[in-house]
Amino acid sequence: MDIFRDASWTFVGVVLAIAALLVTIYGIKKQIAKKSLIYTVGDQYPLYLLYDEKNHTRVKVLFDEIEVKKPITIDLRLKNLGNMPINEADFAGPIKILFSSPVRIVSSQIIDVKPGNLPVIESPIGPGSEYGIQLAPLLLNPGDSISIRFLYEDDGTIPELSVSARISGISEVKRILHSEIGRDHVLPDLLFLAVDYAGVGSLVGLGVAGTLIAKSEWFGRFLYFCQLLFRFLYRRLFE
């Protein structure tokens, strides 16, 4: 019908296209926004084997003038991998970093924080039912990280390190591999970038799109199909 070819209908098509675009971008960003606190654990390094593996019994290690038999170091890194800040008020208690078995922890040291002014307060746990340290609740912005080095005495077991905390909006503090950090963080960032640039490009072409929408119902069906396809791909990748 000629009425749909009128300039007023073209204007209505443009306005609806702009509204749909803004709602889509807002909805996507709201869905992708997430809190995520993860940790990675490095390899264990037996210090008593660094000098001589065959004659390590001839090597004596002292820490604060106290002998440490078979000392081992292990590093742990805690990081906010989400795109939302974790506020101090989000914590229901301290962040606990625990060994899976009762080991003698000689020392724990904060070896790196990002940013450098991150106020990290640590305190020991145990001896008792738990062995490790705890960190006081603090503000962790996206990308903030804390690296801790433990020195403990080898008693023949191979303990595992774990992190636990009750945080609003986070079901658990997950342990991931170093190789997984880039994948979990880069894909949402790329999607944000794609949506933002796609939005700019769409705004440039909205005049053409509005005209086509006003003149062709097939173009509207095509847009609807694209929307369904995008939702399907998003759910498969990020949910």
Side-chain angles (χ1 to χ4, degrees):
M1 298 176 63
D2 292 337
I3 186 174
F4 291 106
R5 301 178 183 274
D6 189 81
S8 60
W9 281 102
T10 301
F11 174 77
V12 171
V14 172
V15 172
L16 291 177
I18 293 176
L21 176 65
L22 294 177
V23 170
T24 300
I25 293 177
Y26 176 79
I28 291 172
K29 289 190 174 183
K30 289 292 288 183
Q31 291 181 56
I32 295 178
K34 66 174 183 177
K35 291 182 180 179
S36 176
L37 185 63
I38 60 93
Y39 70 99
T40 58
V41 179
D43 296 328
Q44 301 186 37
Y45 293 100
L47 297 181
Y48 61 91
L49 297 180
L50 295 180
Y51 176 72
D52 191 337
E53 294 187 9
K54 295 182 179 179
N55 301 310
H56 60 82
T57 55
R58 300 168 57 186
V59 178
K60 181 181 293 186
V61 178
L62 301 179
F63 186 86
D64 288 341
E65 303 302 325
I66 299 176
E67 182 180 358
V68 182
K69 297 180 179 179
K70 296 184 177 181
I72 295 179
T73 65
I74 187 170
D75 294 350
L76 180 141
R77 186 187 185 199
L78 195 66
K79 184 174 184 178
N80 180 353
L81 199 62
N83 51 30
M84 297 181 63
I86 303 173
N87 298 308
E88 183 177 345
D90 291 336
F91 291 89
I95 306 171
K96 292 185 177 182
I97 304 174
L98 303 173
F99 283 84
S100 60
S101 60
V103 298
R104 180 194 167 200
I105 302 174
V106 180
S107 74
S108 60
Q109 180 182 4
I110 307 296
I111 59 174
D112 185 44
V113 292
K114 294 180 180 180
N117 61 350
L118 204 60
V120 182
I121 302 175
E122 65 163 308
S123 57
I125 299 177
S129 59
E130 296 179 331
Y131 295 82
I133 66 170
Q134 59 186 13
L135 305 179
L138 74 166
L139 169 64
L140 292 172
N141 288 315
D144 287 1
S145 64
I146 304 169
S147 297
I148 306 168
R149 176 165 296 163
F150 291 92
L151 174 65
Y152 70 94
E153 198 170 66
D154 183 9
D155 62 355
T157 63
I158 304 178
E160 292 287 336
L161 275 175
S162 64
V163 177
S164 65
R166 291 287 295 166
I167 307 172
S168 175
I170 299 178
S171 59
E172 64 175 330
V173 184
K174 295 182 179 180
R175 176 178 178 177
I176 67 174
L177 301 175
H178 290 279
S179 59
E180 294 178 317
I181 293 180
R183 184 185 67 186
D184 287 357
H185 192 56
V186 169
L187 283 179
D189 284 350
L190 289 178
L191 185 56
F192 271 129
L193 193 63
V195 169
D196 289 339
Y197 279 100
V200 174
S202 297
L203 287 173
V204 174
L206 277 176
V208 178
T211 304
L212 290 175
I213 291 173
K215 294 183 177 180
S216 173
E217 63 174 337
W218 287 105
F219 188 76
R221 293 178 181 178
F222 174 73
L223 289 180
Y224 179 69
F225 170 78
C226 292
Q227 184 182 31
L228 292 179
L229 179 62
F230 178 82
R231 288 180 178 177
F232 171 76
L233 294 175
Y234 170 80
R235 289 172 180 171
R236 290 297 300 270
L237 288 173
F238 302 110
E239 293 184 355

